[in-house]
Amino acid sequence: MRPLRGWVRRFAALFRRTRRDGEFSAELDAHLRAHIDDNVRAGMTVEQARRHALITLGGLDMTKETYRDQRGIPAFERWTRELRHASGRLRRSPGFTSAAVLSLALAIGANASVFTVVERVVINPLPYPASDRLVMLDFSMPSRNIPSGFNSMTAREYFFYADHARTIDSLAAYRWEDRTLTGETAERIRIARTTPSLATVLRTPPEIGTWLPNAQRRGAAPSAVLSHGLWVRRYGADPGVVGRTVVLNGVATTVAGVMPASFVFPDAGVEMWINEPFATSNDDDYSYTGVARLRDGASLAEFRAEINQLARSLAPQAPGEGYEAIFSTALTLQDFTVGQVATALWFLLGAAGVVLLVACANIANLFLVRSDARQREIAVRRALGAGTSGVAGYFLAESALLSIAGGALGLAAAGAGVRLLVASGPALLPRLNEIRLTPIHAAFVLGLVALATLAFGLIPLARIRSSSASLHDSSRSGVGAARNRARHVLMGAQVAFALVLLVASGLLVRSFVKLRALDLGFDPVSRLTFQVGLPPSSYPDRDRIVRGHQAILARVGALPGVRSASIVNCVPISGRGFCGGAPLFAEGEPPPRNDTVRPIVASRPVAASFFETMGMPLILGRGITQADIDGNSLVTVINDTLMRTAFRSDNPLGKRIRLSPHRANGAPLWFTIIGVVHATPTIALAEPRPAPQMYLPMFAGRDVFPRVDVMTYVLQTSTPPLGLAAAVRAAVKDIDPNLALAQMRTMQDVVDAAAAPRAFTMVLIAVAASAALLLGIVGIYGVMSYAVSQRTSEIGVRLALGAEPGAVMRMVVRQGGVVALGGIGAGLAAALAGGRAIASLLYGISPRDPQVFVVMTVTLLAIALVACWLPARRAAAIDPITALRME
Amino acid sequence: MGKTDVWQGTLALMILKTLETLGPQHGYGIARRIEQTSGHKLLVNYGTLYPALLKLEQEGYIKSSWGVSDNNRKAKFYQLTRAGKKQVEREAREWNETTAILARFLSPDEA
């Protein structure tokens, strides 16, 4: 390939140019001497010979120039020259350069970091093969007042669906449990009790060893698979752990294998998977969650329809259990995993995009101002024969340098931004720990840089082309109307974008404030909570469980700094479903035609003084006392939601209710209502409908529903709650060294964690809005300052002719104010139109909340007017004499 | 007819042919030789000669080295490479074909 070889050499010739130039000079010199020698031989005098040779040789420099062009790559050399000159020009105007580079770095950094997180978390969140075929089972029971989002099923349902569903390849069911892992130290860990089909559904092989065996031999030790994290943390990543026996809740369990670090199912908190079989008999136990892989060609809608049909055909097997009331609302695993977070992150990406637009408008404006100031220089270039490409080179070189610098800084900022997002992001964000800035994301940044270069470089070029810049009018200080219009449009756009982001952040802040001001029904301040599970090996029956909890409660309740202590199965906002829920029956009401219309009530077994300890005031009646506990009294306290559901306006005190599993020896077990409290949030902070709840004495005799072996303790403290943690651990260890505490935290932490995703979105949008506002202010100030400086002489004339300085100020402010008002109008229209995008992120306010709109509009207008007023003041202070002399 | 500048595209062939005939030669010598061969009807513009030499060298048809001329002066000598020799043959053949075709167009009585 001759041409290629030529180019390679030409490229090589770009280096060591001085030496090559010298060599060519020597060659030309030899040529000249040879010519002179010839001429002398032909009879000329030396002087004549030299003159003749020089004339024949022609323009020496021109020859050298052509030679250089052939030697190297002229376009490349011209570009390096343009870039060198441009960098010189940029160094000479540090204000412009740093403003442009910083705006760009801010915008690119924000976009790249948010894009990185969005790509990992929203676009590509699941590390499983063909993850788009995975679906989560989810249900609604409209007749029982249960909306979709109820992702629990009974074991009977699981086995029936697994056997009969034709639209799926495989189905797995699991449930979270907390168990105590004993050994050198006792440790409370979260496990998933799962069917062995889980690895088939997710198609993920273990890192070492094997997955849970499909069939367990009768009497054989149960099997466990460790998470990568637990394997490293507790077993020092020793491969020999496979086949070893670990003790879980006192039960010897064989380790079958270790899963890879990327396998975080159902969430990152689960450290072990075990295959303890499910009991099929208990139809009240909605405690299993299902995940399935769709068969090729089957759609989600077909799967839902099939599950609805299968649930109906399950009803005759277990009459009266309400299976006919179930509707499938299955959703893809991806939607399930990222759901609400996805909306917030997309919104954030949009906000980052808007910041980029504001920054672009800002830089374009800076460039416009600069191109106006450079009219004369450009005109000279033109006059000296520079074509459009020459002038384009002038601007493109500057914008390329700025974009590269901005991109490099932006990339560095993005690295920091991603770390910040990861560190402050809600813990439930999937795959958060894997987020890194990768080449894909760097390519995204490069794309932004390329776009930015073209955009900024071409804007002034378009202006130069449209206005026939020439030497004679470039010295005049008038400014064309078209030029002003472009700047004003850009400035108005900045105001509009800034307003949209300000309104969005205002809405989020206001709904966050509303959320935090929400009446929780309890007092989270000065409350410590932790979980204790009594393993069945040492606590095999209810008697021993009761005595175990009583002993721990007595010991921690007596610790100094503890004002009162109590126990419940699940504290509010525990985030895990109903935590023991069953259909409600009220005594004396007519037997319902259909069991399926009964509301599901969350059941809360508690120890004495629970309501005082949690800070839950009683609306009616009294709380549950130690006498009730000791006497196994069949009493209950209900919340106001249950009171309204079951008793409308009647006084419920003294009435008797039960949940369907409340039976003793086949006879129903009725609980007498002795008090009413306010509803507390069950799963999340802002629940549209708080769940009906009943509280009962935790040891209330007979077959208690739900189980009480794993309970959550609550301490009301007179000192900072976490300061008691060590003392509490020591006290529990003293009672039984094999017990481990889990989830030690303050109630305030529980509430904060529930609000964290909203806080995260709110803070980031607020940051984006502040950035847009800052850029917008700089933009307005810059444009108005420039306008004033261009009109110096005109203003001078006005002042000389007797105009009041105040009038001049008003004129300038009016000019800027009109543009700002235009921008605000456009921004208001956009914010009103785009309200639906943010609606799902709001709580308790409308996306058109007038208060937010008014406050933000007035704030922005005031700031815009100040940004106009500063240059206006300078205009009014112009000295007419100086101004006129300048002309 | 006065002197004309050498035609674009043919200069490379002329240089190669000159080097084939004369052996290693410096730029001045090549220029003089081309002028002489053309019966002084062509004027070799130095501004095109040296870039053309450089291009041929970049493409690997000729190579250059510093040497001493007949007049005992230092000069840069160019000589054909192996690829250059093949290139002379190929280009000469193509040129002959082209001129033969053109000749037929220009003398209609032979058609």
Side-chain angles (χ1 to χ4, degrees), chain A residues 777-788:
Chain A
I777 294 169
V778 170
I780 296 170
Y781 177 78
V783 168
M784 294 316 294
S785 298
Y786 179 71
V788 166

Side-chain angles (χ1 to χ4, degrees), chain A residues 2 27 31 37-38 70, chain B residues 28 50 58-59 73 78:
Chain A
R2 295 281 149 190
E27 188 173 5
H31 185 114
D37 287 350
D38 266 5
Q70 172 62 36
Chain B
Y28 177 69
Y50 283 100
Q58 283 168 344
E59 288 169 348
R73 290 194 190 281
Y78 295 90

Side-chain angles (χ1 to χ4, degrees), chain B:
Chain B
M1 182 180 158
K3 288 187 179 180
T4 36
D5 279 349
V6 69
W7 308 297
Q8 280 292 323
T10 58
L11 181 60
L13 179 55
M14 290 180 193
I15 292 170
L16 290 174
K17 193 68 194 172
T18 305
L19 289 177
E20 191 187 39
T21 317
L22 294 185
Q25 190 55 258
H26 47 71
Y28 177 69
I30 296 169
R32 295 310 295 265
R33 169 72 186 185
I34 291 174
E35 284 171 5
Q36 277 167 10
T37 313
S38 72
H40 292 282
K41 285 191 172 161
L42 288 178
L43 178 70
V44 178
N45 184 335
Y46 307 116
T48 50
L49 173 68
Y50 283 100
L53 281 170
L54 181 61
K55 184 163 189 281
L56 286 171
E57 190 176 1
Q58 283 168 344
E59 288 169 348
Y61 295 129
I62 60 175
K63 57 187 178 185
S64 69
S65 56
W66 286 92
V68 179
S69 74
D70 304 340
N71 302 350
N72 259 339
R73 290 194 190 281
K74 215 177 143 215
K76 201 180 194 180
F77 281 79
Y78 295 90
Q79 69 182 93
L80 282 184
T81 62
R82 228 155 41 156
K85 283 175 191 151
K86 278 188 205 155
Q87 178 74 358
V88 178
E89 283 169 27
R90 189 164 56 239
E91 285 222 354
R93 196 175 55 241
E94 280 170 12
W95 186 251
N96 283 336
E97 279 169 16
T98 313
T99 46
I101 293 166
L102 264 182
R104 277 188 224 169
F105 276 95
L106 297 175
S107 41
D109 43 301
E110 280 188 22

Side-chain angles (χ1 to χ4, degrees), chain A residues 177-181 186-192 226 230 233-235 248-249 269-274 531 740-742:
Chain A
E177 287 183 15
D178 292 298
R179 297 206 171 178
T180 307
L181 185 60
E187 185 181 3
R188 198 93 184 123
I189 61 166
R190 173 146 291 175
I191 65 150
L226 310 183
L230 180 69
R233 177 165 59 79
R234 198 172 162 105
Y235 302 100
L248 202 59
N249 270 17
V270 169
E271 299 198 287
M272 195 186 276
W273 296 267
I274 67 163
Q531 205 186 57
L741 304 188

Side-chain angles (χ1 to χ4, degrees), chain A residues 390-410:
Chain A
V391 179
Y394 183 94
F395 287 112
L396 282 176
E398 284 188 3
S399 65
L401 280 181
L402 290 176
S403 305
I404 289 168
L409 262 181

Side-chain angles (χ1 to χ4, degrees), chain A residues 62-113:
Chain A
M62 187 122 135
T63 304
K64 283 188 183 171
E65 195 60 41
T66 339
Y67 187 82
R68 271 194 215 110
D69 280 357
Q70 172 62 36
R71 187 182 62 202
I73 305 166
F76 184 87
E77 287 175 8
R78 200 176 69 231
W79 265 104
T80 50
R81 199 168 55 235
E82 285 286 6
L83 287 175
R84 222 172 28 245
H85 291 171
S87 101
R89 290 197 299 273
L90 292 177
R91 266 202 305 275
R92 279 195 298 278
S93 41
F96 164 78
T97 306
S98 46
V101 167
L102 286 180
S103 309
L104 204 55
L106 182 74
I108 287 180
N111 277 277
S113 45

